[in-house]
Amino acid sequence: MSLVIVGSVAFDTIETPGARRERIVGGSCTYSALAASFFTRPGIVAVVGEDFPKTTADFLKKRGVDLKGLTVVPGGKTFFWEGRYGDDPNQRDTVRLDLNVFRDFQPTLPPSYRAPDILFLANISPGLQEHVLAQVKRPRLVAMDTIRHYIETEPEALDRVLRKTDICFANDEEARLMTNEGNLIRAGRRLLERGPRLVVLKKGEHGAFVFGRDSLFGIMAHPCEGVVDPTGAGDSFAGAFLGYLDRVGNFRASSIRRAAVYGSVLASFTIEDFGIERFKTMKPADVEARFAALKKLVSV
Ligand code: AMP
């Protein structure tokens, strides 16, 4: 099996009620690839400027992330995003967004990325998601994620991507915006009517739902007392979910359920520190221990 991820690699400035961090490494592709790397060796399609730290590229490589599809633009500036959280970690505002090198990025995929088993169109412009989708031979599974910004600015392109998608990841706010439906269960069902076979609705600290045409599965979030930085939780969830499916090599209902629990586990680690810091300290055994704890928590 193989997993290719397209998305943002970024500098983020993050403000929470208790702290502020300037220009730390983030991005949807970065978080999802690092989470997936606990299960498989993902390849990434993204672009950075010359300002991107070599130490981060080295860390990604060390975690088994393949960087053949990462373009470095000489003299270019890396994508920048600034977000601010209030007291509710599930709510945030985008303070600033500079596309920089992503503005005109039209990648040509390396030959070894053109027939992935799983393609993850992580949060980035739907136009770029389509551009990548057009270059791959029909993967066994296509997954996508997006964000309020693209739901509001590029709804038609987003709908075209959704039609070609097998799994759609969204948080509760995004699902409501995409469907104009206040009730989350109805929003999940509505999304299923627009293409995907599965819709994964993340509810932050309240866990997630996996909707299928004839099924519904609920997952708890790990009970975390100290959320340091909620950024990247959604991307980590999706990266682990797809990384796990890539490792097991099948999409059976039982694998999907386990994938969702691993998604929840990786998301719970990400939010324990700023940016991608927690990925530097956690070990595969920690992931398994938390998986077991989560299972125990919901068993009768
Ligand atoms: P998450 O918290 O999982 O929704 O993802 C947060 C990451 O998304 C941050 O690290 C940002 O760099 C990245 N991000 C924020 N806005 C955008 C955008 N419009 N396009 C692509 N990536 C973005």
Side-chain angles (χ1 to χ4, degrees):
M1 294 283 281
S2 64
L3 168 65
V4 167
I5 302 172
V6 54
S8 55
V9 174
F11 283 129
D12 292 343
T13 289
I14 310 285
E15 196 173 305
T16 67
R20 183 177 166 90
R21 292 284 184 285
E22 307 274 348
R23 291 177 64 78
I24 56 176
V25 170
S28 59
C29 191
T30 317
Y31 283 109
S32 44
L34 283 170
S37 75
F38 280 80
F39 307 95
T40 189
R41 298 172 78 84
I44 64 171
V45 180
V47 61
V48 291
E50 225 173 53
D51 51 358
F52 194 71
K54 184 175 176 308
T55 45
T56 307
D58 288 342
F59 174 59
L60 287 163
K61 276 194 226 157
K62 199 175 111 200
R63 284 244 29 103
V65 178
D66 187 291
L67 301 186
K68 269 198 295 298
L70 180 69
T71 304
V72 183
V73 177
K77 278 173 71 180
T78 297
F79 177 99
F80 174 80
W81 175 74
E82 179 170 345
R84 187 187 297 135
Y85 295 88
D87 289 323
D88 177 356
N90 296 326
Q91 298 290 325
R92 74 172 172 218
D93 292 317
T94 290
V95 178
R96 196 173 138 190
L97 188 138
D98 298 331
L99 285 177
N100 295 331
V101 286
F102 263 107
R103 184 161 292 111
D104 305 309
F105 181 53
Q106 294 278 292
T108 301
L109 298 199
S112 59
Y113 283 27
R114 289 180 182 228
D117 288 301
I118 302 179
L119 175 67
F120 181 34
L121 306 166
N123 172 29
I124 194 64
S125 85
L128 179 55
Q129 292 178 326
E130 279 189 298
H131 179 78
V132 170
L133 195 50
Q135 291 179 60
V136 295
K137 252 182 47 203
R138 175 75 197 157
R140 287 179 65 197
L141 193 137
V142 177
M144 68 161 287
D145 191 8
T146 192
I147 198 169
R148 183 166 68 189
H149 177 73
Y150 299 119
I151 300 169
E152 288 172 347
T153 58
E154 299 184 46
E156 287 91 11
L158 193 63
D159 223 51
R160 287 196 298 273
V161 176
L162 195 60
R163 274 205 294 277
K164 294 179 188 148
T165 291
D166 300 296
I167 303 186
C168 170
F169 293 95
N171 65 25
D172 38 7
E173 181 200 40
E174 291 153 4
R176 289 190 176 106
L177 270 175
M178 283 165 92
T179 58
N180 285 321
E181 184 60 76
N183 177 285
L184 205 58
I185 308 300
R186 280 208 295 266
R189 298 265 172 246
R190 281 276 184 87
L191 283 173
L192 278 177
E193 289 163 9
R194 283 163 58 186
R197 286 188 283 138
L198 284 180
V199 171
V200 183
L201 288 193
K202 298 160 291 178
K203 300 179 292 129
E205 61 187 330
H206 306 300
F209 276 130
V210 182
F211 292 81
R213 301 220 168 111
D214 313 303
S215 61
L216 179 60
F217 176 54
I219 312 121
M220 268 196 80
H222 170 78
C224 177
E225 282 188 44
V227 179
V228 174
D229 171 13
T231 313
D235 308 313
S236 303
F237 186 107
F241 186 107
L242 298 171
Y244 176 75
L245 289 183
D246 193 44
R247 184 173 83 188
V248 295
N250 70 71
F251 310 136
R252 286 198 281 273
S254 57
S255 303
I256 298 282
R257 285 173 173 240
R258 290 180 77 83
V261 177
Y262 277 116
S264 183
V265 166
L266 265 288
S268 75
F269 280 107
T270 300
I271 62 177
E272 289 177 345
D273 205 342
F274 274 99
I276 59 170
E277 283 312 298
R278 193 66 178 90
F279 287 108
K280 297 179 183 167
T281 51
M282 61 190 276
K283 301 274 176 291
D286 302 328
V287 172
E288 294 310 323
R290 199 166 283 186
F291 183 99
L294 210 47
K295 200 167 157 188
K296 197 163 160 213
L297 191 69
V298 293
S299 297
V300 288

